[in-house]
Each structure stands twice: as structure tokens, then as C-alpha cells.
Amino acid sequence: MTALTEQDLEFLRRPLHGFLTVAGGQPRPVWFEAAADGTIQLFSEPDAPKVRRLRRDPRASLVVAAPVGERERWVSAAGRVTVEPDGAHDLAARLAARYWDLDDPARAADLKGILATDQVRLVLHPETVHRYAY
């Protein structure tokens, strides 16, 4: 399967952590957003090791699994990643609101710190999608 299904997108729109693996790197937990166009977006500092690796080799995969206590389910998407200079701060703000309680002053300050730094938007264009649901 090469595209995310509507059921995949519904699952990926939940505030779950994904594990991003880039060529030559170790999996890292990440926030992500499944976009309406079927891509998956993340943000990062432009000089992060994963971004340096993606600039050399744009292949990556993201695995997202249901949390403990739910029936087993996961979605894996692999493909090429583009590094986009725009939209990262807006994405970071949306994801922070999804993953954090921004009424908490500490979390609001954390977001302010993220927004004060340079960020790039990483866009995973799925070429292969695998899934499992028990």
C-alpha cells in the first residue's frame, strides 16, 4: 500500500508519539501532524542531526503505535522527506496545543522558547505504508 487511508489519518490525528528513523540514524520520538494531502509533517531545528542526515539522504520512516491499554494497532509510513523553510512555527504551535496543556505556564514558556528559535518543517511523503490492527 502506498497511501494513507482515511482510517490511518484518523488514527494519526490523535496526540500520539511517532518514532522517526532517518537513513543512518536511530529512531527518535517525535510530534507529528498528518496533513489532509496525505503527508506527515514535523518540525526541527535546522542544524539537528536528523535534518543534516535528511539533507544528505532524504529517506525516512515514521512508526506510530496505539498506547498500552488499547487494542494493538500501528501505522508505518516510509518515503522521502523534504526540508521546508516555511511553516515550522505554525506547525509547532499547533502541535504544542495538541500535545501540551498550554494553560500551564511552564508549557506556555516551553512553546515560547521553541518559537524563539529557527525551525524547519519536515514533510514526509509516504511511498510505502504498512499497518496492523488486532
Side-chain angles (χ1 to χ4, degrees):
M1 174 106 349
T2 60
L4 295 168
T5 65
E6 190 55 43
Q7 293 82 14
D8 294 337
L9 292 171
E10 182 180 316
F11 177 67
L12 296 174
R13 288 184 181 122
R14 295 176 51 194
L16 302 169
H17 288 100
F19 287 85
L20 178 72
T21 305
V22 300
Q26 298 286 332
R28 295 286 187 260
V30 294
W31 291 353
F32 64 91
E33 178 179 81
D37 65 0
T39 62
I40 299 171
Q41 301 183 56
L42 310 94
F43 68 93
S44 183
E45 293 179 350
D47 61 344
K50 67 178 163 251
V51 176
R52 290 195 307 268
R53 286 186 179 102
L54 287 167
R55 290 186 193 281
R56 287 192 306 267
D57 185 341
R59 294 175 299 147
S61 66
L62 181 78
V63 176
V64 180
V68 172
E70 292 185 16
R71 292 185 66 81
E72 291 77 10
R73 181 176 183 186
W74 55 261
V75 173
S76 172
R80 302 231 175 251
V81 173
T82 57
V83 179
E84 306 292 339
D86 64 321
H89 285 125
D90 290 339
L91 176 62
R94 284 193 310 275
L95 290 174
R98 178 175 155 185
Y99 286 91
W100 288 343
D101 174 4
L102 294 177
D103 289 333
D104 177 342
R107 289 303 193 181
D110 291 340
L111 175 58
K112 186 176 180 181
I114 291 170
L115 297 178
T117 62
D118 287 335
Q119 301 287 331
V120 292
R121 186 169 49 97
L122 306 177
V123 182
L124 173 62
H125 303 268
E127 296 167 4
T128 305
V129 176
H130 296 283
R131 64 192 54 79
Y132 176 80
Y134 184 74

